């Protein structure tokens, strides 16, 4: 069963995120109070605990949820294989996958330390379709699977 491992927030862009008990995700905004929230296609970022573990094994065992600036740390679901348009029920919310991966920004601390960063390949981004609260331990279910790449 796929679950939320951590909800993470930051007040400033370019900084790691801090885990919080629960977060409120609003339509056309994302995580309330987060520096990356706003009306765009990358309202919410997700990264799997399994992806973070890969980088821990490369020499950074101290990495924790939020260190890749992800809003939601998940476990039990291979995020980067979900097609664009996939709708996920996460806690009280409904989110839609809008982007897989992103360009790693210059000066990425993780990439500088280990020579690689998983967020550009394995992180995903969503927009909020139905508002609600999300907390660690909440289930993640696929409501509608997006279109497969040809």
């Amino acid at each position: 069963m796929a679950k939320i491992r951590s909800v993470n927030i930051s007040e400033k862009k370019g900084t790691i995120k801090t885990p919080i008990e629960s977060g409120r995700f609003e339509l056309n905004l994302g995580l309330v109070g987060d520096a990356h929230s706003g009306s765009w296609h990358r309202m919410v970022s997700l990264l799997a605990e399994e992806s973070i573990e890969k980088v821990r094994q490369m020499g950074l065992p101290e990495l924790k949820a939020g260190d890749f600036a992800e809003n939601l740390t998940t476990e039990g679901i291979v995020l980067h294989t979900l097609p664009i348009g996939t709708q996920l029920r996460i806690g009280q919310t409904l989110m839609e996958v809008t982007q897989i991966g992103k360009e790693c920004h210059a000066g990425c601390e993780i990439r500088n330390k280990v020579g690689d960063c998983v967020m550009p390949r394995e992180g995903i981004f969503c927009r909020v379709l139905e508002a609600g609260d999300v907390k660690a331990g909440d289930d993640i279910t696929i409501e509608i699977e997006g279109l497969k790449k040809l």
Side-chain angles (χ1 to χ4, degrees):
M1 176 64 79
K3 294 203 174 290
I4 293 298
R5 177 96 180 231
S6 182
V7 178
N8 313 298
I9 194 168
S10 64
E11 292 180 5
K12 290 174 54 177
K13 290 184 179 184
T15 62
I16 63 171
K17 295 188 185 295
T18 304
I20 55 176
E21 189 173 316
S22 68
R24 178 74 185 171
F25 291 80
E26 292 289 345
L27 187 67
N28 296 321
L29 181 70
L31 177 56
V32 174
D34 186 67
H36 292 93
S37 65
S39 185
W40 66 319
H41 71 287
R42 289 182 5 198
M43 289 177 199
V44 181
S45 58
L46 295 83
L47 185 66
E49 174 66 22
E50 295 85 351
S51 296
I52 297 170
E53 183 58 30
K54 288 179 190 178
V55 182
R56 285 187 189 116
Q57 297 299 318
M58 295 168 69
L60 289 176
E62 70 278 6
L63 286 176
K64 59 191 180 316
D67 283 354
F68 288 89
E70 77 278 6
N71 293 122
L72 298 173
T73 310
T74 68
E75 64 182 344
I77 186 169
V78 185
L79 297 171
H80 63 277
T81 64
L82 298 173
I84 301 294
T86 298
Q87 292 183 9
L88 302 170
R89 179 70 58 191
I90 303 174
Q92 298 174 343
T93 71
L94 182 64
M95 298 191 196
E96 180 182 59
V97 177
T98 57
Q99 183 174 325
I100 310 295
K102 71 176 191 78
E103 187 175 327
C104 194
H105 62 81
C108 169
E109 190 173 336
I110 302 297
R111 193 161 108 192
N112 290 340
K113 283 185 179 179
V114 299
D116 191 25
C117 180
V118 293
M119 191 64 177
R121 293 184 309 280
E122 298 185 16
I124 70 167
F125 297 89
C126 293
R127 66 185 181 109
V128 178
L129 299 178
E130 291 178 14
D133 295 330
V134 176
K135 65 184 182 319
D138 280 349
D139 290 337
I140 304 168
T141 56
I142 296 174
E143 293 283 307
I144 298 173
E145 190 165 342
L147 298 174
K148 298 274 187 202
K149 295 178 186 172
L150 297 177

